[in-house]
Amino acid sequence: MSEQFLSHKASSSPGFVNTSTYRQDLIRAVSKYARPDYRKAFWQISNTFIPYLALWGLMIFSTLQGYPYWVTLLLTVPAAGLLVRIFIFFHDSCHSAFFPSRKANRILGYIAGIMVFTAYEDWQRTHIIHHSASGNLDRRGAGDIWTMTVEEYLAASWLKRLAYRLFRNPLVLFGLIPIVLFLVVQRFPSLGAGKRERYGVVFTNIALAVLIIGMSLLLGFQNYLMIQLPILLLAACTGMWLFYIQHQYEDVYWAREQNWDMTDAGLKGSSYYKLPKVLQWTVGNIGLHHIHHLRANIPNYHLQRCHDEVPALQTVKPLTFRKSLKSLWLNLWDENRQILVSFRSIKKLNRLQKTT
């Protein structure tokens, strides 16, 4: 089916036509963008890794020269932004999407993985599971944000409710959990990891130990922490927010196994997070997440062009930064209304049930 037909489908229907034929034609329309390019890949590495290492150099200089610590912290902001971008390259390599060569993707994955404190093989496995189960209520729990339905929450024990409310508290979810995830959880293989993944975790941990010891001998352990921790903390919190908002917004898509549709899971269950150009560059176009979940092996550097040239993709309503803040207070999936709702709405529901 031609892109003209896809354009007709997008403009003549308020939703998406959930047929295997439509999905096949849509996949065919975006497939030409799933072609990694060495030139673009190396250009991205140059305009990201070099500035990141340069900022590290400036932070080392300011720390060793005894400049006020706020100077180092100011440099943390762009450095953390570049580390987020490096994580996007790591993410692309996990989909074999950054370089044309599988081997080159694996090498980049290991190098970038060490920089972002994440083991390549193990994260790749859990992330692929996430793609295969995104939006499926019956397959929650692998590589996603813990999400309960309204019925599950109301039926849960007070202890489970308390744990869930603590987990979904913004200070915990975007402050404590990211740093624990990258510093502690990622040091161990995930459940179900095979030998290759376990070896990958061990290799990454050894590489990180060598790096930390080497930098500590060069700078002093305290100086190293004063540079590394703020960068990692800011980047991890930003990354957690991005991952959260990609699949946690009011009219997101969730369905039971028998009704789950892969096309809807991609186009309705993954946000088009529209950011200013500078931030879009920083996060490697990951805001075009609806396209990524439709065809995961499209490199980040082709996502915008894919969106601009395939009309069917433009039917997805953008989520702005201002509107996305509402998602901080949306915590439970209401299967009856097919929307995410807040804890406050559950209190109203309880009051209504008591009066009827």
Side-chain angles (χ1 to χ4, degrees):
M1 188 181 296
S2 66
E3 288 185 21
Q4 286 78 11
F5 181 85
L6 290 172
S7 176
H8 171 72
K9 285 285 188 183
S11 61
S12 63
S13 174
F16 297 100
V17 181
N18 294 324
T19 66
S20 59
T21 301
Y22 179 67
R23 175 174 174 77
Q24 289 169 6
D25 292 325
L26 187 53
I27 291 294
R28 189 178 301 116
V30 303
S31 289
K32 70 177 184 179
Y33 304 95
R35 298 172 183 169
D37 184 313
Y38 275 119
R39 183 180 61 83
K40 292 180 179 179
F42 280 117
W43 169 239
Q44 284 201 327
I45 287 176
S46 298
N47 64 32
T48 304
F49 280 72
I50 293 174
Y52 179 72
L53 295 175
L55 284 168
W56 255 91
L58 287 174
M59 295 172 80
I60 290 172
F61 178 79
S62 67
T63 300
L64 295 182
Q65 292 298 313
Y67 289 178
Y69 187 50
W70 62 263
V71 175
T72 302
L73 289 179
L74 283 178
L75 295 171
T76 293
V77 177
L82 290 171
L83 190 59
V84 170
R85 187 167 162 82
I86 289 170
F87 189 91
I88 300 303
F89 301 167
F90 166 82
H91 166 263
D92 271 12
S93 70
C94 287
H95 288 291
S96 296
F98 196 75
F99 288 115
S101 162
R102 183 182 181 88
K103 183 177 181 180
N105 279 306
R106 190 162 183 258
I107 292 172
L108 173 65
Y110 268 93
I111 294 172
I114 293 166
M115 296 174 74
V116 299
F117 284 60
T118 305
Y120 170 72
E121 308 278 6
D122 194 43
W123 194 88
Q124 181 185 47
R125 186 188 72 87
T126 58
H127 189 64
I128 289 173
I129 295 174
H130 159 69
H131 270 262
S132 69
S134 179
N136 190 324
L137 279 171
D138 295 318
R139 296 180 61 194
R140 284 168 289 169
D144 56 12
I145 302 289
W146 184 17
T147 304
M148 296 179 72
T149 68
V150 171
E151 287 188 359
E152 289 168 347
Y153 180 78
L154 292 176
S157 66
W158 71 268
L159 186 59
K160 188 172 184 179
R161 285 194 193 189
L162 177 62
Y164 187 70
R165 290 184 78 101
L166 285 174
F167 174 84
R168 300 288 291 209
N169 184 290
L171 293 178
V172 175
L173 187 56
F174 304 111
L176 176 62
I177 289 178
I179 201 67
V180 171
L181 178 65
F182 283 93
L183 287 180
V184 180
V185 176
Q186 299 286 16
R187 306 283 65 78
F188 302 93
S190 60
L191 291 176
K195 183 183 293 186
R196 183 180 182 131
E197 289 83 13
R198 292 195 299 271
Y199 284 163
V201 172
V202 171
F203 176 86
T204 300
N205 289 343
I206 292 174
L208 282 171
V210 171
L211 177 65
I212 292 169
I213 291 171
M215 293 298 288
S216 298
L217 292 174
L218 180 65
L219 309 175
F221 183 63
Q222 182 177 346
N223 287 335
Y224 168 71
L225 289 182
M226 289 172 66
I227 297 172
Q228 180 71 83
L229 280 183
I231 295 175
L232 187 63
L233 177 61
L234 185 55
C237 293
T238 302
M240 178 62 80
W241 169 252
L242 288 171
F243 187 75
Y244 177 86
I245 202 59
Q246 287 161 4
H247 303 287
Q248 300 277 327
Y249 49 95
E250 188 172 24
D251 55 349
V252 70
Y253 173 89
W254 284 95
R256 293 294 177 181
E257 176 70 33
Q258 64 270 22
N259 299 317
W260 182 77
D261 180 84
M262 185 172 288
T263 304
D264 275 351
L267 295 177
K268 293 181 180 179
S270 305
S271 65
Y272 169 22
Y273 196 30
K274 195 169 185 178
L275 297 169
K277 289 297 182 182
V278 173
L279 292 180
Q280 183 178 341
W281 180 90
T282 302
V283 302
N285 294 317
I286 200 63
L288 293 154
H289 212 62
H290 60 304
I291 303 175
H292 173 63
H293 266 261
L294 183 66
R295 185 67 186 261
N297 62 340
I298 297 177
N300 77 86
Y301 44 79
H302 286 162
L303 287 173
Q304 185 63 59
R305 186 164 67 91
C306 180
H307 176 269
D308 294 342
E309 295 177 1
V310 180
L313 300 174
Q314 298 164 23
T315 61
V316 176
K317 186 178 179 180
L319 180 65
T320 64
F321 178 74
R322 183 176 179 180
K323 290 181 180 178
S324 71
L325 295 178
K326 181 181 179 181
S327 296
L328 286 169
W329 315 113
L330 301 177
N331 309 287
L332 297 161
W333 177 249
D334 189 325
E335 289 191 77
N336 294 324
R337 291 189 287 167
Q338 291 289 292
I339 56 172
L340 277 179
V341 298
S342 65
F343 289 125
R344 181 175 296 180
S345 69
I346 300 304
K347 292 181 179 179
K348 294 179 181 178
L349 180 61
N350 283 334
R351 285 198 294 268
L352 288 173
Q353 289 176 339
K354 289 178 182 178
T355 58
T356 57

